[in-house]
Amino acid sequence: MKKKPAQDFVFDPKLCRELMTKFCIHAEIPFLKFEDPYLQVWIDSMQPAFQIKGRHTVRDDAMKMYQEMKKDIEIEFENLDSRICLTSDMWTSNQNLGYMCITAHYIDAGFNYKKKIINFKEVRYPHTGFAIEEAIVSCLTEWGIRNKIFTMTLDNANNNTTACEEFVKYHKNELLLEGQNLHVRCCAHILNILVQDGMKIIHRSINKIRELLKHIETSPTRLQDFNTIAIAMGLASKKGMCIDVANRWNSTWKMLVQALVYRSVLDSYASQHLQEYPIEEEWARAKGICDFLKAFEELTLTVSAHRKPTSHQFLPVVLCIRHALKDPAWQTSEVLKELASVMQTKLDKYWDPNEKDVDQNRRRKSKEIELNPALVIATFLDPRRKANYLDFFYSKVCNSDDQVCNHVDAAIDMVKKYIREYEQLATTGTAYSTPSSQGGSIIVGSPIVGKRKLEEEFAQYRSRRRTTRVQRSELDTYLEEICEVDMADFDVLNW
């Protein structure tokens, strides 16, 4: 044997069965595979003492493991002092059945970021806001966390807005500040819509490139012909073509980048196989847009990260988008000016707090998006930015100094509201007790007792004096401290 055990090996059938179940779950092995006649033969060649169970038993083992893991998470939720943020999306099966996936995001006592998928269930048709709200409430009730929710991040669909409104209407007493900032519109989803709208101006070029790549990809012979041309032109061969997913703009961007690298190869291949391909002008438009969208690819990766918190990066992302759309240095051609104009129109609808052509009443009626205060506060709580960044941000997006002051003051007031809310929760939810200062061996009248009593009285007096003289909060201290240095590997939770 190449790999010999470090010590005498003792076969444990229970452990083997448990590990087999974990492998089955992780590798997504169909339960039916465990009734394959060659599986037991293979296992016998390694360990004859281990008997493979049937598919029903393996399924029961998997469900038992699931229930044990679920119980562990329920206990973790029960002991959790922080609030939980939810993200959710709908998924449609091949049978056109709608399913909802809900993920819980939270920070544990050690300030470690956690995420757990807590729901993947069918939602009754039609998928109205009421049906979505019913599914969310059912999930939260099942896990016992209805009173621990802070925000829900959903895509920008009207039924999701209705679902959040219904949730706040019936459960506002269980939410912080009665759910004022419950609904967060998914930044990644809005960014996707933003760029998708812009890319419509070159949809003909994209369709031609996509169809040409599909023609190559669907036949090994045609792929070989493509690689023959590529090698002759000094380019690397391809194992397969990068074809986009229609509803993910960055996959389209990657497809265009690949196509531009192999442009001469694609032109030659299309001519030989009598396929339609982009003309010179269409290639030029695609190249200009690809260079422009590189910045948006980086922003998409920033807001799509799912193993670390991202809410404190929301305002910087908005500023980056605005800068890219308004900076004349980016708009070097008519196609880029057109692209920026289309995307700016969509941006004004979603994030611009000072859209000139839309008054507040119209905004409310059309349910257009304003900045969620929770996201503003998250940026404020980034020790590299604090209140200074709010001043900087609103000075970029507002039309007057008064508007800047109003927005910053409103954000600080909202922070104070949350602090008071948490203080009240801490006061009502925690019982404090003062331990007795007297020991059993010390008699009444002892000088030691008198000394300790005086020390306690002085400590209380000193505490009262400090409280009355200096009314300082943790928020004041946070604001007065110097901002942290902004480094690429800065970890806000570790701070």
Side-chain angles (χ1 to χ4, degrees):
M1 298 195 314
K2 290 183 178 180
K3 181 182 177 182
K4 294 185 179 181
Q7 55 189 6
D8 293 338
F9 175 74
V10 178
F11 175 66
D12 184 343
K14 183 179 179 181
L15 176 63
C16 184
R17 181 170 165 179
E18 181 181 330
L19 293 175
M20 184 184 71
T21 304
K22 287 183 177 180
F23 166 73
C24 172
I25 295 171
H26 187 267
E28 300 180 0
I29 305 297
F31 297 129
L32 191 63
K33 296 291 184 183
F34 287 88
E35 296 191 349
D36 189 297
Y38 286 96
L39 179 60
Q40 185 65 59
V41 176
W42 175 47
I43 296 296
D44 288 343
S45 70
M46 296 180 289
Q47 178 50 264
F50 186 67
Q51 181 67 37
I52 291 290
K53 304 297 181 181
R55 69 177 188 273
H56 297 295
T57 304
V58 176
R59 179 192 179 281
D60 292 342
D61 286 351
M63 291 303 298
K64 181 181 178 182
M65 186 172 292
Y66 161 75
Q67 293 295 342
E68 290 173 352
M69 294 172 70
K70 183 180 178 182
K71 188 65 179 177
D72 291 340
I73 298 174
E74 286 176 345
I75 294 172
E76 186 175 8
F77 283 159
E78 185 179 349
N79 297 325
L80 191 66
D81 289 331
S82 66
R83 289 271 164 164
I84 298 171
C85 295
L86 302 178
T87 56
S88 179
D89 201 3
M90 296 288 291
W91 175 81
T92 305
S93 71
N94 292 334
Q95 296 82 18
N96 288 324
L97 299 176
Y99 291 84
M100 173 182 287
C101 180
I102 299 178
T103 307
H105 308 257
Y106 57 97
I107 300 170
D108 66 12
F111 274 78
N112 300 305
Y113 173 80
K114 298 286 191 71
K115 59 169 290 189
K116 304 289 183 184
I117 296 174
I118 60 172
N119 184 79
F120 191 89
K121 293 182 180 177
E122 185 179 351
V123 179
R124 64 181 176 85
Y125 187 85
H127 304 143
T128 62
F130 302 100
I132 292 173
E133 189 264 350
E134 180 184 319
I136 292 174
V137 171
S138 174
C139 169
L140 302 184
T141 303
E142 179 184 349
W143 286 92
I145 56 173
R146 222 169 54 194
N147 63 338
K148 293 191 176 185
I149 300 305
F150 178 37
T151 62
M152 293 184 189
T153 301
L154 310 167
D155 64 29
N156 190 43
N158 288 333
N159 54 357
N160 285 332
T161 302
T162 302
C164 288
E165 291 173 351
E166 288 296 308
F167 189 89
V168 171
K169 180 179 177 181
Y170 294 106
H171 305 282
K172 61 183 180 182
N173 293 332
E174 299 172 318
L175 301 170
L176 287 176
L177 300 184
E178 297 187 339
Q180 289 183 35
N181 306 319
L182 174 73
H183 188 191
V184 177
R185 274 77 176 185
C186 177
C187 183
H189 179 255
I190 294 174
L191 185 57
N192 184 49
I193 294 174
L194 195 72
V195 183
Q196 291 276 19
D197 264 33
M199 295 182 76
K200 286 179 181 177
I201 67 175
I202 60 163
H203 70 278
R204 286 178 57 85
S205 308
I206 293 173
N207 287 338
K208 288 181 180 180
I209 292 171
R210 183 186 296 119
E211 292 304 315
L212 183 56
L213 293 178
K214 284 182 180 178
H215 185 268
I216 298 170
E217 173 72 17
T218 52
S219 168
T221 303
R222 292 196 286 264
L223 181 60
Q224 185 176 352
D225 292 345
F226 171 87
N227 285 329
T228 300
I229 300 172
I231 293 171
M233 292 184 175
L235 294 172
S237 61
K238 300 281 291 182
K239 293 183 178 178
M241 310 310 295
C242 178
I243 300 175
D244 66 332
V245 179
N247 61 348
R248 294 194 180 275
W249 81 266
N250 50 337
S251 69
T252 306
W253 174 79
K254 290 175 182 176
M255 181 184 73
L256 292 179
V257 170
Q258 171 199 248
L260 286 165
V261 172
Y262 286 86
R263 173 186 168 179
S264 57
V265 181
L266 290 171
D267 287 347
S268 177
Y269 174 89
S271 297
Q272 293 179 21
H273 290 77
L274 304 178
Q275 295 295 309
E276 186 179 20
Y277 61 96
I279 61 177
E280 181 67 30
E281 181 186 352
E282 290 173 330
W283 277 119
R285 289 166 67 90
K287 184 180 187 310
I289 286 181
C290 274
D291 294 340
F292 179 79
L293 293 180
K294 172 63 177 173
F296 289 87
E297 160 72 1
E298 295 172 0
L299 295 177
T300 297
L301 294 177
T302 297
V303 299
S304 300
H306 62 101
R307 293 295 178 185
K308 58 184 179 180
T310 58
S311 55
H312 62 294
Q313 298 174 329
F314 175 77
L315 295 191
V317 165
V318 173
L319 276 192
C320 288
I321 295 172
R322 286 175 57 89
H323 175 73
L325 297 181
K326 292 180 179 292
D327 187 2
W330 285 87
Q331 301 174 28
T332 55
S333 65
E334 290 301 319
V335 66
L336 290 182
K337 290 179 181 178
E338 184 181 356
L339 174 69
S341 175
V342 172
M343 294 175 67
Q344 183 65 55
T345 301
K346 187 68 75 171
L347 177 68
D348 290 341
K349 177 183 176 182
Y350 287 135
W351 286 329
D352 198 329
N354 289 292
E355 187 182 355
K356 296 179 182 178
D357 299 328
V358 180
D359 58 40
Q360 291 298 321
N361 290 330
R362 182 180 160 195
R363 181 184 293 277
R364 278 193 291 269
K365 288 179 182 178
S366 60
K367 297 183 180 179
E368 291 170 350
I369 299 173
E370 297 178 348
L371 300 179
N372 188 306
L375 297 174
V376 177
I377 293 172
T379 304
F380 168 81
L381 292 178
D382 185 334
R384 298 166 296 174
R385 298 188 170 99
K386 302 187 180 181
N388 289 336
Y389 196 87
L390 300 190
D391 285 323
F392 173 72
F393 174 83
Y394 284 113
S395 68
K396 293 285 187 182
V397 301
C398 292
N399 299 322
S400 67
D401 292 339
D402 289 341
Q403 287 181 336
V404 174
C405 293
N406 290 338
H407 281 297
V408 174
D409 290 344
I412 302 297
D413 288 342
M414 187 63 72
V415 173
K416 292 178 179 177
K417 285 182 181 179
Y418 276 114
I419 289 176
R420 288 194 294 269
E421 184 96 349
Y422 275 107
E423 285 177 342
Q424 185 177 357
L425 289 172
T427 302
T428 57
T430 308
Y432 296 93
S433 59
T434 304
S436 174
S437 61
Q438 296 185 1
S441 61
I442 299 178
I443 60 173
V444 177
S446 164
I448 298 177
V449 175
K451 181 182 177 182
R452 288 186 177 179
K453 185 176 181 181
L454 288 172
E455 287 176 349
E456 289 177 4
E457 289 181 2
F458 174 67
Q460 294 174 0
Y461 172 81
R462 182 176 57 192
S463 176
R464 288 197 301 271
R465 294 282 291 180
R466 183 167 59 245
T467 303
T468 55
R469 285 187 177 184
V470 185
Q471 290 290 345
R472 297 180 56 77
S473 67
E474 288 185 77
L475 178 61
D476 296 325
T477 304
Y478 174 77
L479 288 171
E480 291 180 5
E481 288 175 344
I482 300 174
C483 291
E484 296 293 321
V485 178
D486 190 1
M487 297 180 292
D489 59 348
F490 182 81
D491 186 342
V492 66
L493 291 185
N494 185 53
W495 181 89

